[in-house]
Amino acid sequence: MKNYYVCWLNIIIFVSSSISAYAQSTKIDIDGSITLKDLVIQGGWAMWPLGIFSIILLYFIIRNTILLREKEMLRPDLSNKIEKCLSDNDIKSARVICSKNESLITSVLDAGLKRLDEENINDLSQVMDAIEDAGNEQMVIYMKPINYLSIIGSTAPMLGLLGTVSGMIKAFSIISQGGMGDPGKLAGSIGEALVTTATGLVIAIPAMIAYFIFKNNFIKTMSTMGIKVTDLINIYRKSTIKENNH
C-alpha cells in the first residue's frame, strides 16, 4: 500500500513538472496570460467540433429566447377579436384571423374550428380531439429546437472526453518512445487532455441549464394555451345554445 501512494505521488510530481516545463518552452505565462488562441491550439483537434457546438448552442439559445416568448405563442392581442367572432357564431372569420396570425394557439384553435366548420357537428368531444391532436403536433414542432440543447449538453462532455483520451494516448506514446526525459513534450499531450475536458463541460453546463429553462417555460405555456382554447370553445358553445333557444 505504501508503494502505491509513493507511485501516485511520483506521477503527480512528474505531471506538475511537465506542465511547468511546457509553459516555459512555449513562453506562456501560467499566471493568467493564456489566450483563447493558446487554449484552442493546446486542445488539439477536439476543439474544432467543440467550437462548432458552442456556435450552435448560442444560435439555439437566441432562437428559443425570441420564438418561445409567451406573448408570441399565445397572442393575447387576438383574444378579443376571436372571442367576438365565436360569440357571434362566425367561425369563418375566426379561422381567417387564425390563418393570418400563425402561432401556437391559433394553429391549435384553427384545428378545432376547422372540424366545426367542415362537419357542423354538435358533439364537441370530436372538436376537442382535433384540438388535442393539433396540440401534440405543435408540441413536437416547438420542442425540437429545445431538444437540440439537450443533445449538445449530452454530447459535448463525451466529445471532450474523447479529446482527453486522445491526449492521454499521445502522452503514453511519448513515454513509450523514451520521452520521459523531455517533460515539455509530454505536457503538451496532457494539456490537450485537460483543455478538451474543461471545454466540453463549459459548453454542456449552460446547454443543460438553457434546456430545462426553455422546456419548463414551454410546458407552462402549453398548459395556459389549453385553458385558453377550452375557454374559446366554451364561448362558441354558449353562443350556440343561446341561438338555439331563440
Side-chain angles (χ1 to χ4, degrees):
M1 182 64 70
K2 182 178 180 180
N3 291 334
Y4 174 81
Y5 287 115
V6 171
C7 179
W8 274 106
L9 181 60
N10 290 332
I11 292 174
I12 293 172
I13 294 173
F14 177 74
V15 170
S16 300
S17 62
S18 298
I19 295 175
S20 176
Y22 178 73
Q24 293 176 3
S25 64
T26 54
K27 297 182 181 180
I28 296 175
D29 182 7
I30 61 175
D31 291 333
S33 64
I34 298 178
T35 64
L36 179 61
K37 181 180 178 181
D38 295 329
L39 291 175
V40 171
I41 294 174
Q42 188 175 1
W45 65 269
M47 296 298 289
W48 292 103
L50 287 172
I52 294 173
F53 271 28
S54 65
I55 295 173
I56 296 174
L57 170 63
L58 183 61
Y59 165 76
F60 279 113
I61 289 178
I62 296 174
R63 180 190 185 280
N64 291 334
T65 300
I66 296 173
L67 298 182
L68 297 182
R69 291 179 295 177
E70 187 170 297
K71 69 176 184 178
E72 294 294 330
M73 292 188 286
L74 299 183
R75 295 302 303 270
D77 55 308
L78 301 176
S79 296
N80 292 335
K81 295 179 182 179
I82 296 176
E83 287 178 9
K84 186 177 186 305
C85 292
L86 295 179
S87 62
D88 295 337
N89 287 339
D90 190 357
I91 297 178
K92 293 186 182 298
S93 296
R95 291 198 63 196
V96 169
I97 294 174
C98 291
S99 62
K100 289 183 177 180
N101 300 275
E102 186 175 351
S103 65
L104 173 64
I105 192 169
T106 54
S107 298
V108 174
L109 179 61
D110 186 59
L113 297 179
K114 181 181 180 181
R115 183 68 61 88
L116 283 171
D117 192 31
E118 290 180 350
E119 300 183 10
N120 194 25
I121 59 177
N122 294 321
D123 185 6
L124 291 181
S125 63
Q126 298 183 39
V127 177
M128 298 309 295
D129 288 341
I131 289 174
E132 183 178 354
D133 292 339
N136 292 333
E137 181 181 357
Q138 290 298 312
M139 177 177 285
V140 172
I141 294 173
Y142 278 89
M143 279 299 297
K144 185 177 292 185
I146 298 177
N147 288 332
Y148 285 143
L149 294 173
S150 177
I151 294 174
I152 294 173
S154 302
T155 308
M158 291 189 288
L159 187 56
L161 181 61
L162 182 60
T164 299
V165 173
S166 173
M168 295 308 296
I169 290 174
K170 292 179 182 178
F172 284 111
S173 176
I174 292 173
I175 293 174
S176 66
Q177 296 173 7
M180 292 288 287
D182 189 353
K185 294 181 180 179
L186 182 60
S189 299
I190 296 175
E192 175 182 339
L194 298 177
V195 168
T196 54
T197 300
T199 304
L201 293 175
V202 167
I203 294 172
I205 291 172
M208 295 306 297
I209 292 174
Y211 167 71
F212 284 109
I213 290 175
F214 287 126
K215 179 182 177 182
N216 291 337
N217 288 342
F218 179 69
I219 291 174
K220 177 179 175 292
T221 301
M222 284 291 295
S223 177
T224 304
M225 183 271 296
I227 295 173
K228 288 183 176 293
V229 170
T230 301
D231 290 342
L232 292 172
I233 296 299
N234 285 334
I235 290 174
Y236 172 77
R237 181 180 62 84
K238 291 177 181 178
S239 65
T240 303
I241 294 174
K242 183 178 179 180
E243 184 178 284
N244 292 335
N245 290 336
H246 287 302

